[in-house]
Amino acid sequence: MKRISLYIIALVTLGASALTSCKKEFNGDAPTFTASLEYNEKTQFTGGHLYWSENDQVAIYGSAGRSVYNVILTGSTPTTNAKLQMAADETAPGDPSYTAIYPAAIAPATNTGIITLPATQASVSGELTGYPMYAPETSSTFLHFKNLCSVLKITMQKSGAQVSKIQIITDQYINGDFEIDGSTNTLAYHNDNGQDNHKKVTTLTFSNGPVSISDGHDFYIYLPANTYDYFQIKVYDQNGNMFTRTTTSGLTFNRSEYNYLTIPTSAINFKPGDLLGEFSVSGTQKVSFSKGNLLQSGSTYKFADLQYNKTESGYTNLFNWHDGSTSQTMNERGANPISNGGNTANMWRTLTQSEWHYLLAYSGGRPDTWRWALAKVNNIGGMIIFPDGFDWPLDDSKKPTKLNQAATTAWNGQNYTLDEWSTLEACGCVFLPITGYQSSTSSSVSETSYGYYWSSSPKNTSGNYQAYYTKFNATSATFVAGNNNYWSINNKLPIRLVKDVQ
């Protein structure tokens, strides 16, 4: 990854609004402003500068409060200077002095100096959209905007490949409320208003659908200026498959600079069916988990489309350890082709009892502080398993109260929204939903407030025909290496498959 110092961003289109044109009525009594952009003539970007687009919206603050102004382009385009006019349904900002924020969507109702960086940067096909800027206080109607962020430019090319979204995962907050430092034109984390809206994951989306990279394509994402000791780029294709690029060497993003990264074609390999967090299950072996619980319909196997899905219409989600036989050898379902997991035999497997123990146990397992916690996702109780080297990506108020141990309140008092869960999932987290079990002597599911998951390990007692499993509910979990978590191999439990990380 390379950084261009003191150079600024080159963009021609700043958002979907630039693609449409409409006649607007303006308040002729309100002051008209002229807006300029910060730039450097040495830039190596095509076109050289960040440009205004017609109908961009700017928030301007004066003595009477906040007003939204629209960008009006006059003369030749593209341009770094534009006229700002207020819509007829707005109230004039009042007398000087003035300050301004672009885009208006991130600006507060009152001039608090706080902006809210979005968790999703919505572009048409990867252009930089809504790049945050700030015009310092002035008594003039000429507003000179300063850049508040840095930018990452990602270049990818691979024949036949498409990109549906890109996520950036870091060890620092990169969206939510930030305070503008007017002396340095930089942003600082802000959480005095109880919003709890910060995340360490930002997603770039495309309104025109998946973007082809067959002929090469550039994607732009802005980030607060900072040094990031953990930095991961996660790229999704049109089928939801993913690949990642990760560094822990430390990347510095400075204000009004861009870093650019070209991902080699050989590294663009979208993996089907698995989450890309890595989990140590022994001192020498890591695994990645499947995207959801295993499901079966006839001879067809698939993974649940969502991690918190217990089952899906037409599929069963509970399995005998060995289809009701008296063998002490497990029927390894992961050996079957799985339709949305690569559709190739022998790609997946079930964790052994000792691997479950190493992954989750209080002691004698992996040394990570973050191993597991009980919580709800979208009103469904379950266990969250955290990947190796995990760093909490939401505000601290969202943390489970108990880690790696029984909860004192049901599900640790946490019920994560789908938006919050998408952030945790992007950081590699696994969620095992409660499922209950089905006894070999019953046609109905029992203990539906519990989660049970098979291991591949039999209880090695001749004639017992039992196997080990992991179990949890709202306040407790058991997966110890002893002999207390075993059951008849004819009982039906869910299976969550893994893939060895090579």
Side-chain angles (χ1 to χ4, degrees):
M1 185 176 292
K2 297 182 180 180
R3 184 171 73 250
I4 302 300
S5 298
L6 303 178
Y7 299 169
I8 190 53
I9 322 314
L11 272 302
V12 178
T13 302
L14 288 182
S17 62
L19 302 181
T20 60
S21 178
C22 59
K23 184 177 180 180
K24 291 183 176 292
E25 298 295 331
F26 297 100
N27 186 335
D29 296 328
T32 297
F33 293 84
T34 299
S36 71
L37 299 173
E38 181 180 2
Y39 63 91
N40 185 294
E41 291 297 340
K42 295 181 180 180
T43 179
Q44 295 180 6
F45 267 103
T46 302
H49 307 299
L50 179 69
Y51 296 122
W52 289 111
S53 293
E54 186 82 11
N55 297 330
D56 279 344
Q57 290 192 321
V58 175
I60 298 179
Y61 300 92
S63 60
R66 175 185 187 265
S67 300
V68 175
Y69 274 66
N70 294 287
V71 172
I72 306 300
L73 300 183
T74 58
S76 61
T77 58
T79 180
T80 58
N81 290 287
K83 181 186 292 185
L84 303 180
Q85 288 187 321
M86 191 182 74
D89 57 354
E90 288 284 315
T91 301
D95 297 325
S97 58
Y98 302 110
T99 59
I101 293 172
Y102 172 83
I106 69 173
T110 57
N111 188 17
T112 60
I114 309 298
I115 64 173
T116 304
L117 300 183
T120 298
Q121 296 179 26
S123 68
V124 176
S125 58
E127 305 85 0
L128 188 66
T129 61
Y131 179 63
M133 296 182 291
Y134 166 74
E137 184 176 1
T138 179
S139 59
S140 169
T141 56
F142 185 87
L143 303 176
H144 183 57
F145 282 83
K146 299 291 186 180
N147 304 308
L148 292 174
C149 286
S150 184
V151 171
L152 174 64
K153 173 187 175 184
I154 304 171
T155 299
M156 291 182 280
Q157 181 173 7
K158 186 166 188 175
S159 178
Q162 292 182 303
V163 174
S164 65
K165 66 178 179 181
I166 298 172
Q167 289 179 316
I168 302 296
I169 300 99
T170 75
D171 61 333
Q172 306 290 331
Y173 291 114
I174 52 178
N175 50 65
D177 288 350
F178 285 82
E179 183 173 358
I180 299 171
D181 184 335
S183 62
T184 61
N185 301 315
T186 57
L187 298 176
Y189 171 86
H190 180 85
N191 196 26
D192 289 344
N193 58 4
Q195 285 285 71
D196 290 347
N197 60 358
H198 299 88
K199 297 179 182 178
K200 298 176 182 177
V201 179
T202 290
T203 303
L204 178 66
T205 62
F206 316 118
S207 60
N208 281 357
V211 178
S212 172
I213 58 172
S214 289
D215 298 323
H217 197 84
D218 297 330
F219 301 89
Y220 299 87
I221 301 175
Y222 64 79
L223 300 163
N226 212 331
T227 295
Y228 301 97
D229 292 326
Y230 178 89
F231 199 93
Q232 182 180 73
I233 301 169
K234 183 177 286 188
V235 184
Y236 296 75
D237 71 2
Q238 70 275 22
N239 298 314
N241 303 324
M242 300 172 282
F243 76 88
T244 64
R245 301 288 280 176
T246 304
T247 181
T248 56
S249 60
L251 295 177
T252 298
F253 286 76
N254 295 319
R255 184 196 76 85
S256 198
E257 295 182 354
Y258 75 91
N259 288 30
Y260 63 92
L261 170 69
T262 298
I263 299 179
T265 299
S266 60
I268 304 175
N269 296 306
F270 295 98
K271 297 182 180 180
D274 52 337
L275 306 169
L276 293 186
E278 294 184 359
F279 302 77
S280 292
V281 292
S282 76
T284 58
Q285 183 63 58
K286 294 178 182 285
V287 299
S288 60
F289 276 82
S290 60
K291 63 183 286 186
N293 282 3
L294 185 65
L295 305 177
Q296 181 182 9
S297 177
S299 60
T300 298
Y301 289 89
K302 66 165 287 187
F303 295 132
D305 293 326
L306 300 168
Q307 290 206 64
Y308 49 83
N309 281 2
K310 300 178 184 182
T311 189
E312 295 173 10
S313 179
Y315 287 85
T316 182
N317 67 322
L318 302 177
F319 302 88
N320 300 114
W321 195 79
H322 198 283
D323 289 334
S325 79
T326 56
S327 172
Q328 287 284 77
T329 302
M330 185 189 191
N331 177 9
E332 178 55 88
R333 269 86 171 180
N336 295 287
I338 297 169
S339 61
N340 59 353
N343 208 30
T344 301
N346 299 311
M347 288 187 66
W348 300 89
R349 68 178 182 86
T350 307
L351 289 173
T352 66
Q353 178 211 17
S354 63
E355 287 175 328
W356 275 116
H357 182 264
Y358 188 95
L359 176 69
L360 302 172
Y362 303 99
S363 61
R366 60 182 182 139
D368 297 71
T369 300
W370 293 85
R371 293 193 292 276
W372 61 274
L374 302 170
K376 282 186 175 182
V377 171
N378 195 33
N379 297 313
I380 298 169
M383 176 185 285
I384 298 175
I385 307 176
F386 304 104
D388 293 359
F390 178 75
D391 187 70
W392 184 250
L394 303 172
D395 279 301
D396 286 350
S397 63
K398 305 294 177 65
K399 287 182 179 179
T401 54
K402 298 290 184 181
L403 290 176
N404 318 320
Q405 59 182 297
T408 53
T409 57
W411 306 115
N412 276 306
Q414 296 290 356
N415 185 12
Y416 297 111
T417 66
L418 294 183
D419 180 60
E420 290 165 345
W421 171 244
S422 69
T423 299
L424 292 170
E425 186 176 55
C427 293
C429 293
V430 166
F431 184 70
L432 305 180
I434 56 173
T435 56
Y437 77 98
Q438 186 175 340
S439 168
S440 60
T441 60
S442 175
S443 60
S444 60
V445 178
S446 303
E447 292 192 4
T448 54
S449 60
Y450 282 79
Y452 297 88
Y453 286 82
W454 278 128
S455 81
S456 62
S457 300
K459 184 178 186 297
N460 292 315
T461 303
S462 177
N464 267 338
Y465 308 117
Q466 295 171 323
Y468 290 100
Y469 63 94
T470 286
K471 173 184 177 182
F472 58 85
N473 66 4
T475 56
S476 66
T478 55
F479 34 77
V480 296
N483 293 329
N484 58 334
N485 270 25
Y486 52 84
W487 235 344
S488 167
I489 61 176
N490 296 317
N491 288 341
K492 294 182 178 180
L493 309 183
I495 295 174
R496 190 62 171 269
L497 296 176
V498 300
K499 181 189 296 182
D500 290 332
V501 175
Q502 303 302 322

Short mmCIF file of all heavy atoms in Angstrom, two decimals, residues 124-170:
data_model
loop_
_atom_site.label_atom_id
_atom_site.label_comp_id
_atom_site.label_asym_id
_atom_site.label_seq_id
_atom_site.Cartn_x
_atom_site.Cartn_y
_atom_site.Cartn_z
N VAL A 124 -22.34 4.96 -6.59
CA VAL A 124 -22.96 4.36 -7.77
C VAL A 124 -22.19 3.11 -8.17
O VAL A 124 -22.74 2.02 -8.27
CB VAL A 124 -23.02 5.37 -8.94
CG1 VAL A 124 -23.57 4.70 -10.20
CG2 VAL A 124 -23.88 6.57 -8.57
N SER A 125 -20.89 3.25 -8.35
CA SER A 125 -20.08 2.08 -8.72
C SER A 125 -18.67 2.16 -8.14
O SER A 125 -17.72 1.71 -8.76
CB SER A 125 -20.00 1.94 -10.25
OG SER A 125 -19.47 3.12 -10.83
N GLY A 126 -18.55 2.77 -6.95
CA GLY A 126 -17.27 2.80 -6.28
C GLY A 126 -16.64 4.17 -6.18
O GLY A 126 -15.54 4.32 -5.64
N GLU A 127 -17.32 5.22 -6.72
CA GLU A 127 -16.78 6.57 -6.62
C GLU A 127 -16.78 7.04 -5.17
O GLU A 127 -17.50 6.52 -4.34
CB GLU A 127 -17.63 7.55 -7.45
CG GLU A 127 -17.80 7.17 -8.90
CD GLU A 127 -18.94 6.21 -9.13
OE1 GLU A 127 -19.61 5.83 -8.15
OE2 GLU A 127 -19.15 5.83 -10.29
N LEU A 128 -15.96 8.03 -4.88
CA LEU A 128 -15.98 8.65 -3.57
C LEU A 128 -17.27 9.44 -3.42
O LEU A 128 -17.60 10.28 -4.28
CB LEU A 128 -14.78 9.57 -3.40
CG LEU A 128 -14.56 10.15 -2.00
CD1 LEU A 128 -14.22 9.05 -1.00
CD2 LEU A 128 -13.46 11.20 -2.03
N THR A 129 -18.02 9.21 -2.37
CA THR A 129 -19.29 9.90 -2.17
C THR A 129 -19.31 10.57 -0.80
O THR A 129 -18.87 9.99 0.19
CB THR A 129 -20.48 8.93 -2.26
OG1 THR A 129 -20.36 7.94 -1.23
CG2 THR A 129 -20.54 8.24 -3.60
N GLY A 130 -19.82 11.80 -0.77
CA GLY A 130 -20.00 12.50 0.48
C GLY A 130 -18.73 12.73 1.26
O GLY A 130 -18.74 12.69 2.49
N TYR A 131 -17.62 12.97 0.58
CA TYR A 131 -16.33 13.18 1.25
C TYR A 131 -16.42 14.36 2.22
O TYR A 131 -16.70 15.49 1.80
CB TYR A 131 -15.26 13.41 0.20
CG TYR A 131 -13.88 13.65 0.74
CD1 TYR A 131 -13.23 12.66 1.47
CD2 TYR A 131 -13.22 14.86 0.53
CE1 TYR A 131 -11.95 12.87 1.97
CE2 TYR A 131 -11.95 15.08 1.02
CZ TYR A 131 -11.32 14.08 1.74
OH TYR A 131 -10.06 14.29 2.24
N PRO A 132 -16.20 14.16 3.53
CA PRO A 132 -16.47 15.21 4.52
C PRO A 132 -15.51 16.40 4.40
O PRO A 132 -14.29 16.24 4.31
CB PRO A 132 -16.25 14.50 5.86
CG PRO A 132 -16.41 13.04 5.54
CD PRO A 132 -15.85 12.88 4.17
N MET A 133 -16.13 17.60 4.42
CA MET A 133 -15.36 18.84 4.37
C MET A 133 -15.97 19.86 5.32
O MET A 133 -17.16 19.77 5.67
CB MET A 133 -15.32 19.39 2.94
CG MET A 133 -14.61 18.49 1.94
SD MET A 133 -14.54 19.21 0.28
CE MET A 133 -16.26 19.15 -0.21
N TYR A 134 -15.18 20.86 5.66
CA TYR A 134 -15.57 21.85 6.66
C TYR A 134 -15.04 23.21 6.24
O TYR A 134 -13.87 23.34 5.87
CB TYR A 134 -14.99 21.45 8.02
CG TYR A 134 -15.02 22.51 9.09
CD1 TYR A 134 -16.21 22.87 9.73
CD2 TYR A 134 -13.83 23.13 9.49
CE1 TYR A 134 -16.21 23.83 10.73
CE2 TYR A 134 -13.83 24.08 10.49
CZ TYR A 134 -15.02 24.43 11.11
OH TYR A 134 -15.02 25.38 12.10
N ALA A 135 -15.92 24.22 6.26
CA ALA A 135 -15.51 25.59 5.99
C ALA A 135 -15.43 26.34 7.31
O ALA A 135 -16.45 26.51 7.98
CB ALA A 135 -16.51 26.27 5.05
N PRO A 136 -14.23 26.76 7.74
CA PRO A 136 -14.08 27.45 9.03
C PRO A 136 -14.86 28.75 9.07
O PRO A 136 -15.27 29.31 8.05
CB PRO A 136 -12.57 27.70 9.10
CG PRO A 136 -11.95 26.74 8.14
CD PRO A 136 -12.95 26.57 7.05
N GLU A 137 -15.02 29.26 10.27
CA GLU A 137 -15.81 30.45 10.51
C GLU A 137 -15.28 31.64 9.71
O GLU A 137 -14.08 31.89 9.63
CB GLU A 137 -15.79 30.78 12.00
CG GLU A 137 -16.66 31.96 12.37
CD GLU A 137 -16.70 32.18 13.87
OE1 GLU A 137 -16.02 31.44 14.61
OE2 GLU A 137 -17.41 33.11 14.31
N THR A 138 -16.22 32.38 9.08
CA THR A 138 -15.86 33.54 8.29
C THR A 138 -17.04 34.51 8.28
O THR A 138 -18.20 34.10 8.41
CB THR A 138 -15.50 33.15 6.85
OG1 THR A 138 -15.19 34.33 6.10
CG2 THR A 138 -16.64 32.42 6.17
N SER A 139 -16.76 35.79 8.11
CA SER A 139 -17.82 36.80 7.95
C SER A 139 -18.11 37.06 6.49
O SER A 139 -18.97 37.87 6.14
CB SER A 139 -17.41 38.11 8.64
OG SER A 139 -16.19 38.60 8.09
N SER A 140 -17.39 36.35 5.63
CA SER A 140 -17.55 36.51 4.19
C SER A 140 -18.52 35.48 3.64
O SER A 140 -18.79 34.44 4.27
CB SER A 140 -16.19 36.35 3.51
OG SER A 140 -16.33 36.24 2.11
N THR A 141 -19.07 35.72 2.46
CA THR A 141 -19.90 34.73 1.78
C THR A 141 -19.07 33.84 0.88
O THR A 141 -19.60 33.07 0.08
CB THR A 141 -21.01 35.41 0.96
OG1 THR A 141 -20.41 36.33 0.04
CG2 THR A 141 -22.00 36.13 1.87
N PHE A 142 -17.75 33.95 1.00
CA PHE A 142 -16.85 33.02 0.30
C PHE A 142 -16.40 31.96 1.29
O PHE A 142 -15.75 32.26 2.29
CB PHE A 142 -15.63 33.77 -0.25
CG PHE A 142 -14.73 32.90 -1.08
CD1 PHE A 142 -14.95 32.73 -2.44
CD2 PHE A 142 -13.67 32.23 -0.50
CE1 PHE A 142 -14.13 31.91 -3.20
CE2 PHE A 142 -12.84 31.40 -1.25
CZ PHE A 142 -13.07 31.25 -2.60
N LEU A 143 -16.78 30.72 1.05
CA LEU A 143 -16.50 29.61 1.96
C LEU A 143 -15.38 28.75 1.38
O LEU A 143 -15.53 28.19 0.28
CB LEU A 143 -17.76 28.76 2.17
CG LEU A 143 -18.98 29.50 2.71
CD1 LEU A 143 -20.19 28.55 2.76
CD2 LEU A 143 -18.71 30.09 4.08
N HIS A 144 -14.28 28.64 2.11
CA HIS A 144 -13.16 27.82 1.65
C HIS A 144 -13.15 26.52 2.44
O HIS A 144 -12.86 26.49 3.64
CB HIS A 144 -11.84 28.54 1.85
CG HIS A 144 -10.66 27.79 1.32
ND1 HIS A 144 -10.57 27.37 0.01
CD2 HIS A 144 -9.53 27.35 1.93
CE1 HIS A 144 -9.44 26.71 -0.17
NE2 HIS A 144 -8.79 26.68 0.98
N PHE A 145 -13.52 25.41 1.78
CA PHE A 145 -13.69 24.12 2.45
C PHE A 145 -12.36 23.40 2.63
O PHE A 145 -11.52 23.38 1.73
CB PHE A 145 -14.66 23.24 1.66
CG PHE A 145 -16.10 23.59 1.86
CD1 PHE A 145 -16.69 24.62 1.14
CD2 PHE A 145 -16.86 22.92 2.80
CE1 PHE A 145 -18.01 24.95 1.34
CE2 PHE A 145 -18.20 23.25 3.01
CZ PHE A 145 -18.78 24.27 2.28
N LYS A 146 -12.20 22.79 3.82
CA LYS A 146 -11.03 22.00 4.16
C LYS A 146 -11.41 20.53 4.22
O LYS A 146 -12.49 20.16 4.69
CB LYS A 146 -10.47 22.43 5.52
CG LYS A 146 -10.01 23.88 5.58
CD LYS A 146 -8.77 24.09 4.73
CE LYS A 146 -8.23 25.51 4.90
NZ LYS A 146 -7.01 25.72 4.08
N ASN A 147 -10.50 19.67 3.77
CA ASN A 147 -10.74 18.23 3.81
C ASN A 147 -10.56 17.71 5.22
O ASN A 147 -9.59 18.06 5.90
CB ASN A 147 -9.76 17.52 2.88
CG ASN A 147 -9.84 18.04 1.47
OD1 ASN A 147 -10.91 18.12 0.89
ND2 ASN A 147 -8.70 18.43 0.91
N LEU A 148 -11.48 16.86 5.68
CA LEU A 148 -11.45 16.36 7.05
C LEU A 148 -10.95 14.92 7.17
O LEU A 148 -10.68 14.45 8.27
CB LEU A 148 -12.85 16.44 7.67
CG LEU A 148 -13.39 17.84 7.92
CD1 LEU A 148 -14.84 17.77 8.39
CD2 LEU A 148 -12.54 18.58 8.94
N CYS A 149 -10.83 14.22 6.06
CA CYS A 149 -10.50 12.79 6.10
C CYS A 149 -9.37 12.44 5.15
O CYS A 149 -8.88 13.28 4.39
CB CYS A 149 -11.75 11.95 5.76
SG CYS A 149 -12.97 11.88 7.08
N SER A 150 -9.00 11.19 5.20
CA SER A 150 -8.07 10.59 4.25
C SER A 150 -8.88 9.64 3.36
O SER A 150 -10.06 9.38 3.64
CB SER A 150 -6.98 9.82 5.01
OG SER A 150 -6.02 9.30 4.12
N VAL A 151 -8.26 9.13 2.32
CA VAL A 151 -8.97 8.28 1.37
C VAL A 151 -8.11 7.07 1.01
O VAL A 151 -6.90 7.17 0.87
CB VAL A 151 -9.35 9.05 0.09
CG1 VAL A 151 -9.89 8.11 -0.99
CG2 VAL A 151 -10.37 10.12 0.39
N LEU A 152 -8.78 5.94 0.89
CA LEU A 152 -8.15 4.72 0.38
C LEU A 152 -8.70 4.43 -1.02
O LEU A 152 -9.91 4.37 -1.21
CB LEU A 152 -8.43 3.53 1.30
CG LEU A 152 -7.94 2.16 0.79
CD1 LEU A 152 -6.42 2.14 0.69
CD2 LEU A 152 -8.44 1.05 1.71
N LYS A 153 -7.80 4.29 -1.96
CA LYS A 153 -8.15 3.90 -3.33
C LYS A 153 -7.74 2.45 -3.54
O LYS A 153 -6.56 2.10 -3.39
CB LYS A 153 -7.46 4.80 -4.35
CG LYS A 153 -7.64 4.37 -5.81
CD LYS A 153 -6.76 5.23 -6.71
CE LYS A 153 -6.81 4.74 -8.16
NZ LYS A 153 -5.89 5.52 -9.03
N ILE A 154 -8.69 1.58 -3.86
CA ILE A 154 -8.43 0.16 -4.06
C ILE A 154 -8.63 -0.17 -5.54
O ILE A 154 -9.70 0.14 -6.10
CB ILE A 154 -9.37 -0.71 -3.22
CG1 ILE A 154 -9.27 -0.33 -1.74
CG2 ILE A 154 -9.06 -2.19 -3.41
CD1 ILE A 154 -10.33 -0.98 -0.87
N THR A 155 -7.64 -0.75 -6.17
CA THR A 155 -7.73 -1.14 -7.57
C THR A 155 -7.73 -2.66 -7.67
O THR A 155 -6.88 -3.33 -7.07
CB THR A 155 -6.55 -0.57 -8.37
OG1 THR A 155 -6.58 0.85 -8.30
CG2 THR A 155 -6.62 -1.00 -9.84
N MET A 156 -8.69 -3.20 -8.41
CA MET A 156 -8.80 -4.65 -8.61
C MET A 156 -9.09 -4.97 -10.07
O MET A 156 -9.81 -4.22 -10.74
CB MET A 156 -9.91 -5.24 -7.72
CG MET A 156 -9.61 -5.22 -6.24
SD MET A 156 -10.94 -5.99 -5.24
CE MET A 156 -12.11 -4.64 -5.17
N GLN A 157 -8.55 -6.08 -10.51
CA GLN A 157 -8.86 -6.56 -11.86
C GLN A 157 -8.79 -8.08 -11.88
O GLN A 157 -7.81 -8.69 -11.44
CB GLN A 157 -7.88 -6.00 -12.89
CG GLN A 157 -8.19 -6.46 -14.33
CD GLN A 157 -7.32 -5.77 -15.36
OE1 GLN A 157 -6.40 -5.03 -15.01
NE2 GLN A 157 -7.61 -5.98 -16.64
N LYS A 158 -9.88 -8.70 -12.36
CA LYS A 158 -9.90 -10.14 -12.58
C LYS A 158 -11.01 -10.47 -13.56
O LYS A 158 -12.15 -10.04 -13.39
CB LYS A 158 -10.11 -10.91 -11.27
CG LYS A 158 -9.98 -12.43 -11.47
CD LYS A 158 -9.85 -13.17 -10.15
CE LYS A 158 -9.53 -14.64 -10.39
NZ LYS A 158 -9.28 -15.36 -9.13
N SER A 159 -10.69 -11.23 -14.57
CA SER A 159 -11.65 -11.57 -15.62
C SER A 159 -12.86 -12.30 -15.04
O SER A 159 -12.71 -13.26 -14.28
CB SER A 159 -10.97 -12.44 -16.69
OG SER A 159 -11.90 -12.83 -17.69
N GLY A 160 -14.04 -11.83 -15.39
CA GLY A 160 -15.29 -12.47 -14.99
C GLY A 160 -15.72 -12.20 -13.57
O GLY A 160 -16.78 -12.65 -13.15
N ALA A 161 -14.94 -11.46 -12.79
CA ALA A 161 -15.26 -11.22 -11.39
C ALA A 161 -16.09 -9.96 -11.22
O ALA A 161 -15.95 -8.99 -11.97
CB ALA A 161 -13.99 -11.14 -10.55
N GLN A 162 -16.95 -9.98 -10.21
CA GLN A 162 -17.76 -8.82 -9.86
C GLN A 162 -17.65 -8.57 -8.35
O GLN A 162 -17.46 -9.51 -7.57
CB GLN A 162 -19.23 -9.04 -10.22
CG GLN A 162 -19.50 -9.09 -11.73
CD GLN A 162 -20.98 -9.26 -12.01
OE1 GLN A 162 -21.59 -10.21 -11.56
NE2 GLN A 162 -21.54 -8.33 -12.75
N VAL A 163 -17.80 -7.32 -7.97
CA VAL A 163 -17.73 -6.92 -6.56
C VAL A 163 -19.08 -6.30 -6.18
O VAL A 163 -19.55 -5.38 -6.83
CB VAL A 163 -16.60 -5.91 -6.31
CG1 VAL A 163 -16.62 -5.39 -4.88
CG2 VAL A 163 -15.25 -6.55 -6.63
N SER A 164 -19.68 -6.84 -5.10
CA SER A 164 -20.99 -6.34 -4.67
C SER A 164 -20.89 -5.36 -3.51
O SER A 164 -21.77 -4.52 -3.33
CB SER A 164 -21.91 -7.50 -4.27
OG SER A 164 -21.41 -8.18 -3.13
N LYS A 165 -19.83 -5.46 -2.69
CA LYS A 165 -19.58 -4.48 -1.64
C LYS A 165 -18.18 -4.71 -1.10
O LYS A 165 -17.58 -5.77 -1.29
CB LYS A 165 -20.61 -4.57 -0.51
CG LYS A 165 -20.58 -5.85 0.30
CD LYS A 165 -21.63 -5.80 1.42
CE LYS A 165 -21.63 -7.09 2.25
NZ LYS A 165 -22.64 -7.07 3.33
N ILE A 166 -17.66 -3.68 -0.43
CA ILE A 166 -16.34 -3.74 0.19
C ILE A 166 -16.48 -3.24 1.62
O ILE A 166 -17.15 -2.24 1.87
CB ILE A 166 -15.32 -2.88 -0.58
CG1 ILE A 166 -15.15 -3.39 -2.02
CG2 ILE A 166 -13.97 -2.87 0.13
CD1 ILE A 166 -14.30 -2.48 -2.88
N GLN A 167 -15.83 -3.94 2.55
CA GLN A 167 -15.84 -3.51 3.94
C GLN A 167 -14.41 -3.26 4.41
O GLN A 167 -13.49 -3.99 4.04
CB GLN A 167 -16.50 -4.56 4.84
CG GLN A 167 -18.00 -4.67 4.64
CD GLN A 167 -18.64 -5.72 5.51
OE1 GLN A 167 -18.11 -6.82 5.64
NE2 GLN A 167 -19.78 -5.40 6.10
N ILE A 168 -14.27 -2.22 5.23
CA ILE A 168 -13.01 -1.93 5.90
C ILE A 168 -13.20 -2.19 7.38
O ILE A 168 -14.13 -1.64 8.00
CB ILE A 168 -12.57 -0.47 5.68
CG1 ILE A 168 -12.44 -0.17 4.18
CG2 ILE A 168 -11.27 -0.18 6.40
CD1 ILE A 168 -11.38 -0.96 3.47
N ILE A 169 -12.36 -3.03 7.98
CA ILE A 169 -12.42 -3.34 9.41
C ILE A 169 -11.10 -2.91 10.03
O ILE A 169 -10.02 -3.28 9.54
CB ILE A 169 -12.66 -4.85 9.64
CG1 ILE A 169 -13.98 -5.30 9.01
CG2 ILE A 169 -12.66 -5.17 11.12
CD1 ILE A 169 -13.85 -5.96 7.67
N THR A 170 -11.16 -2.12 11.10
CA THR A 170 -9.95 -1.60 11.71
C THR A 170 -10.00 -1.77 13.23
O THR A 170 -11.00 -2.25 13.78
CB THR A 170 -9.75 -0.10 11.40
OG1 THR A 170 -10.66 0.67 12.20
CG2 THR A 170 -9.99 0.20 9.93
#
